[in-house]
Amino acid sequence: MEFLSHHDPLWHRLSGEDGPQPHPAPRPHALLTLEQWHAVRDHWPADLSTGVLLPNTADVAQLAADLPRLALLVLQFPKWTDGRAYSQARLLRGRHRFSGEVRATGDVLVDMVPLLQRAGFSSVQLRGDQKVDSARRQLQMFDAYYQADALDPRPWFKRHAA
């Protein structure tokens, strides 16, 4: 799992002086809101690395046909107690076979990191008061889980039966 600062030098949100542009100009590593993506997807070049900010209230099935064109999906945790983004990540990885980057952002705490990884998140922007070293330690606490997850769809007994 990759831990990112709140300033990502690679991905850029496209916004104007008065807020997000409804029809931004195509450029690589553009991070679009879901509304911006819906407005431009029909004419957006398929070969550009593109990301979408997905609110945790959105149905990921809306993006199913677009997933091969997207390199990054940023899923939001408005509160650490709101776990809908976990479900979104699991659906993206399991049902929709999304292989791009899935990033957690918002009110993301160190304690959430193991479950984020198991749900299919590949990168995390921790809340500002959280420490990356503590998050890395969280990932080392357990070396195996009984349940299947996004990392391995087989339960423990099937992994060790072979």
Side-chain angles (χ1 to χ4, degrees):
M1 175 164 294
E2 184 178 2
F3 296 97
L4 304 166
S5 70
H6 288 279
H7 173 69
D8 184 348
L10 182 61
W11 291 92
H12 305 283
R13 291 190 68 171
L14 298 185
S15 59
E17 292 177 6
D18 299 322
Q21 300 171 5
H23 301 284
R27 64 183 255 205
H29 298 103
L31 183 56
L32 308 173
T33 64
L34 184 60
E35 293 78 18
Q36 286 174 321
W37 174 248
H38 284 305
V40 300
R41 70 178 169 200
D42 291 336
H43 62 273
W44 195 267
D47 60 341
L48 286 181
S49 291
T50 306
V52 172
L53 267 161
L54 197 62
N56 70 348
T57 56
D59 180 2
V60 297
Q62 291 178 333
L63 286 175
D66 298 328
L67 291 176
R69 298 177 57 193
L70 300 175
L72 168 68
L73 289 173
V74 178
L75 306 182
Q76 301 172 340
F77 286 86
K79 296 183 203 175
W80 69 269
T81 55
D82 186 339
R84 291 177 281 184
Y86 289 115
S87 300
Q88 288 174 315
R90 189 70 173 104
L91 288 169
L92 286 166
R93 295 294 192 205
R95 183 176 298 165
H96 300 293
R97 305 280 186 237
F98 180 65
S99 60
E101 180 180 351
V102 178
R103 181 180 300 172
T105 189
D107 198 21
V108 180
L109 306 179
V110 166
D111 295 347
M112 298 165 62
V113 171
L115 186 53
L116 291 169
Q117 184 178 47
R118 296 189 67 218
F121 285 90
S122 49
S123 63
V124 175
Q125 287 179 319
L126 294 169
R127 192 172 74 184
D129 64 339
Q130 303 293 293
K131 306 272 189 248
V132 172
D133 291 342
S134 298
R136 288 193 210 301
R137 280 194 303 275
Q138 284 288 326
L139 291 175
Q140 304 304 316
M141 291 186 78
F142 298 99
D143 59 354
Y145 295 94
Y146 289 112
Q147 305 89 354
D149 59 27
L151 299 174
D152 193 336
R154 300 169 301 158
W156 183 85
F157 69 90
K158 285 196 175 188
R159 291 190 303 260
H160 294 297

